[in-house]
Amino acid sequence: MKIGNGETSGHRYGSAALIGRPNAGKSTLLNNLVGEKIAIVTDKPQTTRTRIMGIVTGTGWQMTIYDTPGIHKPKDRLGRTMMQTATDVLGWADVIYYITDAAEGFGSGEARIIQLLEGVTQPVFLLLNKVDLMDKQALLPVIDAYRNKREFAHIFPLSALTGEGIPELLAATATCFQEGPPCYDEDEMTDQPERVLVAELVREKAILASREEVPYAIAVYVEKMENRRQDLTDIHAVIVVEQPGQKGILIGKQGKVLKQIGSEARKDIEALLGVRVNLQLWVRTRKDWRNKEAYLKEYGLTGLS
């Protein structure tokens, strides 16, 4: 629920946008900042397909933070839509969080993002992520490499997983915002509809249960979600793939894989909703859906900018 007329004196409000290469840790950081799992996380590149908004409320300030798809070279209509979603935030977010895997150093992928940031006038924070996995002395040449490419408002070594460096990041971010009332209640964490969050949790488990090219061919949508009782919700969800062979992989012998996906997804969905869940899953084939506008629209993957 949005707050109407809040007290503005001294209170700050603004927005931040996360950009970076696939698997840099954007979704992990978003979840850490929000304090709840609202973005799915896997080790597969391009897991995030849409712009996901989280709400972070501190003492005297509030921000909306947007997770975006990883910057990559698109190979299909879905990829092009994802890239448009990722780059559009550069035009309106108050602060840009450019997050990188510090252990990987500066490469061609990072050079492409630096190029995308050329016209950005808002403060850009460089977030050197995964420092919990590396020797701190190894950070110095990494910091120098980035400083030689662009001027940053702040550089923060941090760990999106453990939370190291995050308090300092938030303190610096709040100083960049203008005075304004909070737009959301303190206990709100996202504007994502429950159906979308549920579909994403199912997709996460399906990705983790599959291999090779299957994860990139998976989409999920919720056909039915209704309360049977106050403490029990019925959910019917459909996992979409592009080829019959992919469908077979996700169902597995005697339905074993699909049962595993459902069991693991149900646990997360129950934690999210706070009620028992009766989750029913189906797998359907939609050939080349990633290149078809009608399917992208049906699965909520268009109009994201």
Side-chain angles (χ1 to χ4, degrees):
M1 178 185 298
K2 288 193 175 183
I3 296 174
N5 295 316
E7 178 63 44
T8 64
S9 179
H11 191 280
R12 293 174 178 267
Y13 178 83
S15 61
L18 279 159
I19 69 163
R21 294 175 61 202
N23 290 122
K26 297 183 299 299
S27 297
T28 301
L29 180 59
L30 177 70
N31 291 337
N32 193 316
L33 292 173
V34 170
E36 188 72 41
K37 184 175 181 176
I38 63 171
I40 65 174
V41 178
T42 78
D43 61 355
K44 303 292 191 297
Q46 302 162 36
T47 295
T48 300
R49 288 174 172 167
T50 64
R51 191 174 64 222
I52 302 171
M53 189 267 271
I55 302 160
V56 185
T57 301
T59 303
W61 60 270
Q62 185 180 78
M63 77 169 172
T64 49
I65 179 167
Y66 297 86
D67 186 14
T68 63
I71 303 296
H72 66 285
K73 293 181 179 180
K75 298 179 180 179
D76 47 41
R77 186 186 290 266
L78 172 61
R80 291 192 293 273
T81 300
M82 290 164 59
M83 278 298 296
Q84 186 67 46
T85 300
T87 56
D88 275 355
V89 296
L90 300 177
W92 51 261
D94 295 313
V95 175
I96 306 299
Y97 286 167
Y98 168 26
I99 185 169
T100 75
D101 183 338
E104 290 192 358
F106 189 94
S108 59
E110 307 301 344
R112 185 180 182 202
I113 296 175
I114 292 292
Q115 188 175 20
L116 288 173
L117 291 170
E118 282 184 359
V120 172
T121 58
Q122 308 98 303
V124 177
F125 291 12
L126 175 64
L127 313 185
L128 297 172
N129 189 29
K130 306 184 184 181
V131 297
D132 54 312
L133 303 178
M134 61 186 298
D135 183 344
K136 298 300 188 288
Q137 291 299 316
L139 273 173
L140 299 177
V142 176
I143 292 173
D144 287 340
Y146 280 94
R147 278 181 173 157
N148 289 334
K149 301 298 180 181
R150 191 190 198 280
E151 183 177 349
F152 296 96
H154 294 280
I155 298 177
F156 288 100
L158 55 77
S159 170
L161 185 63
T162 68
E164 179 183 349
I166 287 180
E168 294 81 3
L169 169 65
L170 292 177
T173 302
T175 66
C176 297
F177 296 154
Q178 299 294 318
E179 276 198 13
C183 289
Y184 298 89
D185 290 334
E186 288 187 9
D187 60 349
E188 287 191 88
M189 297 181 180
T190 184
D191 66 346
Q192 293 283 93
E194 286 184 343
R195 279 177 173 256
V196 173
L197 293 173
V198 166
E200 283 290 272
L201 289 174
V202 173
R203 185 166 71 91
E204 177 186 62
K205 305 311 179 187
I207 288 173
L208 294 173
S210 58
R211 60 187 186 273
E212 297 175 353
E213 289 301 311
V214 178
Y216 309 105
I218 294 173
V220 178
Y221 65 95
V222 174
E223 281 191 326
K224 171 186 173 182
M225 184 171 172
E226 61 183 34
N227 296 329
R228 189 194 311 179
R229 299 193 306 266
Q230 188 174 3
D231 65 340
L232 179 62
T233 297
D234 291 319
I235 298 174
H236 295 182
V238 177
I239 302 173
V240 177
V241 291
E242 292 183 318
Q243 303 293 336
Q246 296 166 346
K247 179 177 179 179
I249 289 171
L250 287 179
I251 293 175
K253 188 176 182 180
Q254 297 181 333
K256 184 177 179 180
V257 176
L258 190 61
K259 289 177 183 177
Q260 176 189 338
I261 293 169
S263 176
E264 294 181 359
R266 179 178 52 78
K267 294 175 185 176
D268 280 3
I269 295 168
E270 288 182 338
L272 172 72
L273 302 180
V275 297
R276 290 174 54 223
V277 167
N278 172 37
L279 177 63
Q280 301 292 321
L281 298 179
W282 288 266
V283 183
R284 294 176 185 163
T285 303
R286 296 289 183 269
K287 186 176 179 180
D288 200 29
W289 68 261
R290 285 177 287 180
N291 276 308
K292 296 180 179 178
E293 189 72 17
Y295 287 140
L296 294 178
K297 185 176 180 180
E298 181 180 355
Y299 307 149
L301 297 171
T302 58
L304 305 171
S305 305

